[in-house]
């Protein structure tokens, strides 16, 4: 009896030891679909080195990368279910969430100054007030567009005081440099390239109007595959720390992927990208609360939308807690 009991106990213990591995294999998705974007350097590093492919390959999970040309594209892909995890600006994510996009944000990939209002080198425009009656390019549903709306309020201008030209970021840069629009709400690295390569000028900058880089996940993916999400965040952490320790090498990757000069990539990474705080926290919640009124003022969400509640539902301050290390 005693021997049989010991054998049963031993078998049970072995089963418990094997359980985490079995759960990991059972929980792993058949395919992991996520985006990469030139405004998210960590995604470029992850894709270049194949760290997620190496990790998930052990479970037979295929990794599929999709290029996001802007927050609007990343959020469209998430809303349609084309990707599971995607990168966007914080305020753009809030706008999407308020309008029904089923996403949460468990990780912050950067604190950037990636947008400003840009004019040509020879433009007579010198201030926000000079934008009245002018054509301004901006990509709807993105931080640059929302930055533009907030900047106009600073100058006591309304959206109707300018002629908004809806163009994707790259097309906005071309339109500005060709003189087809008077100003452009830019996005790095395209904005930095226009500065350094074409002499374009930034007429209005406001770091606090640049909302954070949010790594968003579809709610259903987070619920079904929490361990897979943790492993993706671990990959982003590996990339974040690698960039901090190898900024020039990371800039080379950005330069090659985005097809911009190394000087442009270094401007974006060294001077306009802060990678110090990846844990979603009160800092990010407060930033969205400060920015949220523009969504109601400009009727970008339904009247009466409870934006504070939406922010709480979007920013997941607990999921990654304990997973994230220091920048050292």
């Amino acid at each position: 009896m005693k021997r049989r009991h010991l054998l049963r106990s031993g078998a049970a213990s072995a089963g418990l030891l094997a359980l985490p591995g079995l759960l990991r294999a059972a929980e792993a998705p058949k395919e992991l679909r996520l985006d990469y974007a030139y405004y998210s350097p960590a995604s470029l590093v992850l894709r270049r080195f194949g760290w997620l492919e190496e990790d998930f390959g052990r479970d037979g999970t295929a990794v599929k990368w999709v290029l996001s040309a802007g927050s609007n594209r990343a959020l469209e892909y998430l809303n349609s279910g084309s990707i599971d995890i995607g990168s966007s600006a914080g305020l753009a994510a809030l706008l999407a969430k308020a309008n029904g996009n089923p996403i949460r944000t468990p990780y912050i990939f950067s604190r950037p100054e990636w947008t400003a209002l840009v004019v040509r080198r020879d433009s007579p425009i010198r201030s926000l007030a000079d934008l009245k009656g002018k054509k301004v390019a901006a990509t709807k549903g993105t931080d640059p567009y929302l930055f533009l709306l907030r900047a106009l309020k600073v100058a006591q201008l309304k959206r109707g005081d300018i002629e908004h030209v809806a163009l994707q970021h790259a097309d906005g840069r071309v339109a500005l440099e060709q003189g087809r629009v008077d100003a452009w709400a830019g996005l790095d690295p395209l904005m930095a390239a226009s500065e350094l390569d074409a002499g374009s000028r930034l007429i209005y900058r406001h770091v606090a109007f640049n909302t954070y880089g949010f790594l968003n996940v579809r709610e259903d993916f987070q619920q079904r595959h929490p361990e897979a999400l943790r492993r993706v965040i671990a990959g982003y952490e590996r990339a974040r720390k690698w960039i901090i320790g190898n900024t020039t090498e990371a800039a080379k990757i950005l330069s090659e992927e985005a097809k911009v000069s190394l000087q442009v990539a270094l401007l974006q990474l060294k001077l306009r990208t802060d990678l110090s705080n990846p844990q979603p926290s009160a800092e990010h919640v407060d930033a969205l609360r400060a920015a949220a009124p523009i969504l109601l003022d400009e009727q970008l969400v339904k009247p009466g939308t409870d934006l504070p509640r939406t922010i709480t539902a979007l920013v997941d301050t607990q999921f990654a807690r304990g997973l994230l290390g220091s920048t050292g």
Side-chain angles (χ1 to χ4, degrees):
M1 284 289 291
K2 187 176 288 185
R3 184 172 180 272
R4 285 201 299 270
H5 176 73
L6 289 171
L7 286 172
R8 288 196 195 101
S9 298
S13 298
L16 288 172
L17 288 171
L19 190 56
L22 291 173
L23 285 174
R24 171 171 153 162
E27 187 271 339
K30 292 182 179 179
E31 184 177 63
L32 172 65
R33 304 165 303 165
L34 63 167
D35 78 340
Y36 67 103
Y38 306 142
Y39 52 84
S40 172
S43 70
L44 304 181
V45 169
L46 264 179
R47 182 170 173 265
R48 172 65 63 92
F49 291 136
W51 291 334
L52 292 182
E53 287 85 345
E54 178 184 352
D55 179 20
F56 282 92
R58 292 192 287 266
D59 298 326
T61 298
V63 176
K64 179 183 178 182
W65 293 95
V66 177
L67 175 65
S68 289
S71 293
N72 60 327
R73 292 288 183 259
L75 292 162
E76 286 168 11
Y77 298 151
L78 284 162
N79 196 38
S80 67
S82 299
I83 59 175
D84 307 303
I85 298 170
S87 44
S88 77
L91 190 54
L94 176 60
L95 173 60
K97 179 77 169 178
N99 287 324
N101 200 327
I103 55 173
R104 297 210 79 191
T105 304
Y107 185 82
I108 305 298
F109 64 81
S110 74
R111 171 64 167 111
E113 186 191 4
W114 51 23
T115 187
L117 295 185
V118 190
V119 297
R120 289 185 304 281
R121 174 172 48 191
D122 59 353
S123 172
I125 296 173
R126 298 289 170 181
S127 69
L128 289 174
D130 295 335
L131 292 176
K132 188 172 185 178
K134 299 296 192 296
K135 293 182 179 180
V136 184
T139 309
K140 276 193 170 183
T142 68
D143 227 27
Y145 178 67
L146 298 168
F147 181 95
L148 168 64
L149 297 182
R150 297 176 78 184
L152 291 175
K153 289 183 73 70
V154 169
Q156 298 183 329
L157 296 175
K158 298 178 181 179
R159 183 167 41 167
D161 289 329
I162 64 163
E163 182 181 342
H164 170 235
V165 181
L167 294 171
Q168 198 61 41
H169 300 300
D171 298 327
R173 175 194 173 184
V174 172
L176 175 74
E177 293 177 3
Q178 292 181 348
R180 292 187 281 116
V181 296
D182 302 295
W184 167 51
L187 181 73
D188 273 342
L190 296 167
M191 183 171 71
S194 192
E195 280 184 271
L196 295 183
D197 299 343
S200 299
R201 294 185 289 108
L202 308 187
I203 61 157
Y204 184 73
R205 300 172 69 174
H206 196 311
V207 174
F209 282 6
N210 290 253
T211 53
Y212 296 76
F214 278 30
L215 188 68
N216 309 300
V217 60
R218 285 183 55 85
E219 291 174 346
D220 59 349
F221 185 89
Q222 182 173 0
Q223 291 165 3
R224 288 185 291 111
H225 303 292
E227 182 58 29
L229 178 57
R230 289 187 183 95
R231 290 159 67 186
V232 171
I233 290 174
Y236 265 86
E237 272 297 274
R238 184 178 178 184
R240 178 180 73 92
K241 291 181 179 181
W242 186 87
I243 294 170
I244 290 170
N246 303 273
T247 307
T248 300
E249 290 81 358
K252 289 177 182 176
I253 293 174
L254 172 59
S255 171
E256 292 167 6
E257 292 288 336
K259 295 179 174 56
V260 296
S261 71
L262 181 59
Q263 290 74 21
V264 166
L266 285 168
L267 173 58
Q268 176 182 345
L269 269 181
K270 285 196 169 184
L271 298 182
R272 296 180 182 168
T273 304
D274 178 357
L275 299 173
S276 64
N277 186 12
Q279 172 65 53
S281 65
E283 174 185 339
H284 309 101
V285 169
D286 290 346
L288 288 184
R289 285 176 176 164
I294 195 71
L295 304 182
L296 286 169
D297 292 347
E298 296 294 335
Q299 300 179 341
L300 300 175
V301 295
K302 292 179 181 178
T305 298
D306 189 340
L307 288 174
R309 183 177 179 180
T310 306
I311 292 169
T312 300
L314 172 67
V315 182
D316 189 337
T317 60
Q318 297 302 316
F319 185 85
R321 194 168 298 281
L323 297 176
L324 307 184
S326 67
T327 58

